Amino acid sequence: MENARQYFGDGLPYQNLNELKGKLIAIEGTDGVGRSTHIEMLQEWLEVQGYGVVTTGWTRSNLMSKTIEMAKQGNILDRWSFSLLYATDFADRLEHQIIPALRSGFIVLADRYIYTAFARDFVRSGDRSWIRDLFGFAVIPDLVCYLRIDVDTLALRVIETKGMNFWESGMDLRLGGDLYDSFKKYQGLLIEEFDKMAEEFTFEVVDARKPPEEIQEALRLKIEPLLKNGRAQLAPAGTGSPVKESATAPPAS
Amino acid sequence: MTPPLVTFNQPHPFPGKLIIVEGIDGSGKSTQLLLLQKWLTAKGYNVFFTEWNSSELVRETTRRGKKNKSLTPTTFSLLHATDFANRLYYDILPPLKAGMVVLADRYAYTAFARDAVRGVSPAWVRKLYGFAMRPNMAFYFKVPIEVAINRLLGGMRAQFKYYEAGMDMGLSQDMTESFRIFQARILLEYDKIVSEYGLITMDATKEIEEQQNDMRQLVSTALEHYKPKRGTHGKRETVFWRRFAVPKSE
């Protein structure tokens, strides 16, 4: 007997979850931990096996991406607007990408999920209940893989690659005198909260300090059981995606 | 890292007063609020006015979403909540803290009514607005649906808007009919909200000036012990200048 798909909280009364036969896999972890690289590799791996894959990423909705950019230019300060903007973006993607894709039997790889919003809001407010109520309409994923890293390793990695930016350093919170101090404090708090949620929501934890091949291997091991036993049906890649802009283009070889 | 200062369940701790109006389109609530504002201003109160769905941040997005009709009941609800949060932070909270009278044309109750009719969970939308503060006075302008329709069609607007008429819900191809069905459902929700939150029901079929008299009387009583804070340079410029007057030479 399979577990029925569930909402995180109050749910969407007008959507029927029973028809969602695809698989929803969320990759969580803090900024700069390598989520998107691994999602690209997972997509390739799954498509080679013949699974239809749709990817979706935080703040990438048609409706909200521009608005969030604008907000980040410095037009908002308060915790509620912040979290509500993310929630609106998420809802748009949930209803226009994730649910239709699951209905058609796709595997959905989500780059970040509601837990990112939980961690960010908690760090800013010290309150866990409102943000969790807010995301009550979210569908609980079949699997959450948490790329775990310690803040020292993360700081080095981020400096070596793209550098530290204002938001990833939580500069709006004024936690430290400069970008580096603030980054370490802010990301440290986020990681602490992710670690707590990992237990509460039983994330599959993957050590993100290891070399990329090993991380990828670990992720695939976590995902495999889902493919064999679960509801994932073969939706051959290339038969058309319900989502226009993220329709699975053949992976560049 | 402090827990929220205000919640919807208890009166706010600020020196200002928050007065809001609710009602369906065509109930005349905006007219009444405008007249109340004139009166309060004339009486020397510092008044700040804010209305539903008007923040810079979200207006453009809502417009775009409405235009390409991609809004779902949930994104519609969330966008309005975002607008509300933004206005709460910038428009409502500062004047309340400064001791002003804030007048709001529509408040969270509009979302409770509309969003529930659109199909989101009524419990969810209430939790969504958990960060809002309870108004000091909330007026509900109750009007039968036909009166509202006649006012809207006979009045300055003479046409329904797509989302106002609930056209996104596929209730009817005919806009007036869709408006009638949609707004009738909203009226039912408002009835529940009125008893749940103790809104003051106003008979919106009465003459404009009659309603305004009733409203002013109620507001007078509510503001009886309210001490309006004066701005630093007051309403009379003379006060300001006198303070800097050069002392007369002996």
Side-chain angles (χ1 to χ4, degrees):
Chain A
M1 186 68 191
E2 295 166 1
N3 290 330
R5 199 175 278 289
Q6 284 182 337
Y7 285 114
F8 184 78
D10 288 311
L12 302 167
Y14 53 89
Q15 289 273 12
N16 182 4
L17 289 191
N18 293 329
E19 328 163 326
L20 308 187
K21 53 191 177 185
K23 290 288 180 191
L24 174 56
I25 300 167
I27 310 295
E28 278 286 9
T30 193
D31 305 287
V33 78
R35 288 181 325 276
S36 41
T37 314
H38 284 292
I39 284 175
E40 254 175 59
M41 290 161 81
L42 288 174
Q43 175 167 13
E44 167 101 34
W45 171 66
L46 287 165
E47 285 178 343
V48 167
Q49 294 180 69
Y51 292 103
V53 178
V54 167
T55 61
T56 179
W58 207 242
T59 73
R60 278 191 236 150
S61 73
N62 283 337
L63 185 66
M64 296 305 290
S65 51
K66 272 190 208 149
T67 315
I68 291 177
E69 275 313 305
M70 192 179 115
K72 283 190 166 178
Q73 307 295 323
N75 288 307
I76 57 168
L77 290 163
D78 64 300
R79 152 211 186 190
W80 307 298
S81 299
F82 247 120
S83 292
L84 284 164
L85 283 173
Y86 288 135
T88 316
D89 166 78
F90 177 79
D92 193 54
R93 289 183 297 112
L94 181 73
E95 293 191 75
H96 290 307
Q97 299 179 356
I98 299 175
I99 289 179
L102 291 176
R103 192 173 283 132
S104 309
F106 281 77
I107 294 176
V108 178
L109 296 176
D111 186 349
R112 298 185 180 283
Y113 207 65
I114 55 177
Y115 310 101
T116 286
F118 292 179
R120 288 182 181 169
D121 190 69
F122 175 73
V123 165
R124 285 179 173 78
S125 70
D127 167 38
R128 290 192 180 90
S129 59
W130 178 73
I131 189 77
R132 292 182 179 191
D133 286 339
L134 170 60
F135 279 93
F137 61 87
V139 173
I140 296 181
D142 297 283
L143 176 69
V144 181
C145 292
Y146 166 36
L147 295 178
R148 192 184 184 286
I149 198 166
D150 64 283
V151 72
D152 293 304
T153 315
L154 179 70
L156 287 173
R157 193 182 287 183
V158 167
I159 292 170
E160 280 171 4
T161 53
K162 50 182 179 159
M164 292 172 170
N165 80 29
F166 182 90
W167 292 103
E168 289 174 9
S169 302
M171 286 299 276
D172 58 315
L173 292 173
R174 302 266 169 261
L175 295 170
D178 58 42
L179 212 55
Y180 181 80
D181 289 345
S182 189
F183 181 91
K184 284 195 71 173
K185 276 200 185 129
Y186 177 60
Q187 293 294 337
L189 290 169
L190 287 178
I191 291 168
E192 200 179 304
E193 186 61 12
F194 266 119
D195 287 350
K196 281 186 192 146
M197 288 192 290
E199 283 190 27
E200 186 181 354
F201 300 114
T202 55
F203 296 165
E204 290 292 344
V205 183
V206 172
D207 187 347
R209 290 169 302 187
K210 294 197 168 146
E213 322 71 81
E214 281 180 52
I215 298 172
Q216 182 65 205
E217 193 53 40
L219 286 171
R220 291 179 185 183
L221 278 174
K222 308 279 187 200
I223 292 170
E224 250 169 2
L226 213 63
L227 307 178
K228 285 175 190 153
N229 308 323
R231 284 159 293 177
Q233 321 243 322
L234 271 179
T239 52
S241 150
V243 191
K244 266 175 262 142
E245 76 278 16
S246 54
T248 54
S253 51
Chain B
M1 297 261 253
T2 45
L5 235 153
V6 294
T7 74
F8 210 70
N9 300 319
Q10 58 196 49
H12 66 77
F14 310 118
K17 296 283 177 190
L18 175 60
I19 301 174
I20 70 106
V21 295
E22 287 282 355
I24 60 168
D25 300 306
S27 64
K29 62 185 176 333
S30 306
T31 307
Q32 291 298 329
L33 194 64
L34 179 87
L35 293 171
L36 188 75
Q37 180 177 13
K38 295 268 179 209
W39 175 67
L40 288 170
T41 311
K43 287 187 70 159
Y45 289 103
N46 284 313
V47 182
F48 192 89
F49 172 82
T50 178
E51 69 184 316
W52 196 246
N53 198 24
S54 62
S55 82
E56 279 290 317
L57 183 63
V58 191
R59 202 192 298 137
E60 180 57 24
T61 317
T62 316
R63 205 188 55 79
R64 197 162 3 105
K66 282 183 174 178
K67 199 174 159 199
N68 63 27
K69 302 186 170 59
S70 70
L71 295 180
T72 69
T74 304
T75 50
F76 187 93
S77 181
L78 285 166
L79 274 177
H80 284 91
T82 312
D83 169 81
F84 182 84
N86 207 237
R87 284 187 301 112
L88 192 78
Y89 193 80
Y90 280 103
D91 295 350
I92 300 179
L93 203 58
L96 275 188
K97 283 191 164 180
M100 292 171 70
V101 176
V102 179
L103 303 179
D105 189 345
R106 295 188 176 281
Y107 203 65
Y109 309 108
T110 284
F112 299 173
R114 273 189 192 174
D115 298 354
V117 170
R118 282 221 158 73
V120 308
S121 152
W124 175 74
V125 71
R126 281 161 175 73
K127 290 181 215 164
L128 182 60
Y129 284 86
F131 58 86
M133 64 207 65
R134 188 69 83 97
N136 296 88
M137 295 187 91
F139 290 94
Y140 170 55
F141 289 86
K142 190 171 182 170
V143 68
I145 203 86
E146 293 306 326
V147 176
I149 289 175
N150 288 338
R151 277 184 192 162
L152 289 174
L153 290 182
M156 291 158 278
R157 240 188 283 169
Q159 201 188 334
F160 297 115
K161 292 179 192 160
Y162 185 85
Y163 278 87
E164 252 174 29
M167 288 298 282
D168 56 316
M169 296 180 65
L171 300 168
S172 168
Q173 291 298 314
D174 178 59
M175 258 213 177
T176 309
E177 187 52 25
S178 178
F179 180 92
R180 184 177 286 119
I181 302 170
F182 181 58
Q183 299 289 342
R185 290 187 191 170
I186 289 179
L187 282 180
L188 288 178
E189 286 301 318
Y190 266 130
D191 283 342
K192 290 184 213 161
I193 290 162
V194 164
S195 52
E196 191 179 344
Y197 294 97
L199 309 192
I200 303 161
T201 304
M202 305 292 283
D203 182 353
T205 58
K206 285 191 192 170
E207 292 304 318
I208 291 175
E209 59 276 15
E210 218 178 323
Q211 290 182 56
Q212 184 60 207
N213 275 338
D214 295 346
M215 198 180 182
R216 287 180 183 182
Q217 226 146 51
L218 289 164
V219 171
S220 286
T221 315
L223 294 185
E224 211 170 22
H225 301 291
Y226 162 72
K227 299 240 166 26
K229 294 235 170 120
R230 289 285 168 196
T232 43
H233 39 267
K235 285 281 177 215
R236 291 169 298 163
E237 284 83 346
T238 47
V239 176
F240 177 75
W241 290 112
R242 201 179 299 148
R243 211 180 286 167
F244 293 91
V246 183
K248 282 186 183 122
S249 55
E250 287 111 86

